[in-house]
Amino acid sequence: FVIQCGLHGSGVSPPGDLPVNETRQGTFISNTVGTCAIAHFDVPDCGNTEFFINLQNNTHLDEAYGGYCVFAEVADGASSST
């Protein structure tokens, strides 16, 4: 499914939530294998320091809870294989 990481539970306070979910702004990139997206709770505009790497095609995350905005892609396939 995904590998999630970030500052949650580290004792470091996040700088605050992102003001807007950018899933549908600009160029849309789907949650496919090897992409990285901002994690958030049920409310779409609450992402902060948590993100995840998709280990498989998770296109349902493009729409779930307002969508999970992809912001990067793993450099090579070997890096995202398990």
Side-chain angles (χ1 to χ4, degrees):
F1 182 62
V2 302
I3 296 172
Q4 185 167 332
C5 51
L7 293 177
H8 181 73
S10 70
V12 177
S13 296
D17 292 345
L18 296 172
V20 67
N21 181 337
E22 297 179 3
T23 301
R24 298 286 177 213
Q25 295 181 353
T27 302
F28 172 75
I29 303 170
S30 184
N31 280 276
T32 56
V33 65
T35 56
C36 305
I38 295 291
H40 60 76
F41 297 105
D42 298 350
V43 181
D45 296 337
C46 70
N48 50 48
T49 63
E50 297 294 305
F51 69 96
F52 59 87
I53 300 169
N54 288 293
L55 298 176
Q56 63 187 32
N57 289 336
N58 295 310
T59 55
H60 65 284
L61 297 177
D62 297 342
E63 303 292 333
Y65 301 112
Y68 291 82
C69 184
V70 172
F71 66 90
E73 187 172 15
V74 176
D76 59 58
S79 298
S80 61
S81 64
T82 56

